[in-house]
Amino acid sequence: MIKGKVITLGVPGGIAVYKVADLASKLTGLGATVNTIMTGSATEFVKPVTFQVLTKNPVHTDLFSSSAEHKIPHIELAASADLFLIAPATANIIGKIAAGIGDDLLSTSVLAANCPVLICPAMNVKMYSNPIVQANISKLKEYDFHFVEPEQGLVACGDYGKGRLSDSSTIIYAIEQLLGQAKDMSGLRVLITAGGTREAIDPVRYISNRSSGKMGYALAQAVNSRGGQAILISTPTCLEIPLGVEGIIVESAMEMRDAVLKHYPHCQIIIKAAAVADYRCESVFSEKLKKDGESLTLKLIKNPDILAELGCSKREDQTLVGFAAETQFLDQNAKKKLISKKLDLLVANDVSIPGSGFGSDSNRVKLFYSDGMVEELPLLSKLIVANKIIDAVKNIRSKR
Ligand code: CTP
């Protein structure tokens, strides 16, 4: 899909420029023609000759330079591209594009672009979470600019949080999706659950679990970008409902059950990524509990198993996918859940492995199919895992 495509790569100035050099090399290796534009500050981090050697193409830095093949560089570089990639996208370039400013070769070229633009932000954690930057990103999404979100981690200045440039495999996957994206989910309604349910103790406290909701949100995003209609039933998380996805926020397992049962009949695919609490308090205190006694005993009663209920009433045209987060005996537990809940596919992960599972941006999962097949995936970003799960679902449905 990347082979033979022309990618204009805009490189603004940020410490992650060295990672983009590797990305440029990989894209060239995959058969793309990569035309690089570097801003003045990008050249402070890495010399243009690095990109020139890695992409086997001249690097453009100057709005007013003209060569035989690029008479008006910003127009030519924009017009010739199948995709415009900007990495590492700084707050500055995001702000300039959002404001329609063209004051150098990169910003003018983006303004002249008539192809999909993929922006990969990378900056300081506080800068990324700044409401002005976030408002600029939201504005650009409304104008159909595409984003690969930065990852959570330690950034160059020592802060921990969201701001690290996403890894090159995730960016390449996003490029493939944009360049060759078949809208292969169009016409399908997909119900997705996400997050950890909250079981109330009193008006201020609840019992919950470590689920961040990231896997479910990635699934909703993937369904949406492949042309499907995603209905995301989620507990409160710190994530934004992806654009174009119908979001329904619930708190407890019982509320999630009500919402799921309401939408279930109208969906062809159901993916239950939520971590549903198995138990809830038998009675919820109506006032805030006071620390009067030396100990406190809460009586918990079992919640209904929503997924098992769905399995019992599944229609021929419906495909049911469950998740299993395990810390031991992964295969045995996964196979048991696949059969007992009457699933078509079970996605299992060992949450005790670093970089996999709760809160992480990546996941290492094993797919268990109802025909006995097992597929082990490597450690991948959650968005890629989401797309692999959708591929698996499509495969199952095509064999019917
Ligand atoms: N699930 C559900 N309703 C519940 C519990 C779980 O719908 N009350 C769903 C989850 O959304 C997930 C799958 O069942 O897709 C497996 O959840 P998990 O917590 O791993 O397993 P349990 O069946 O709860 O079993 P256990 O906690 O004993 O491992």
Side-chain angles (χ1 to χ4, degrees), residues 193 253 256 271-279 303-308 310 321-326 333 337 341 343 346:
T193 65
M256 181 169 278
I271 310 179
K272 287 222 70 236
V276 183
D278 291 329
Y279 296 91
N303 270 329
D305 190 317
I306 310 167
L307 189 56
L310 301 185
V321 181
F323 272 71
E326 306 291 345
N333 287 329
K337 285 175 192 177
K341 303 193 190 203
L343 308 177
L346 185 122

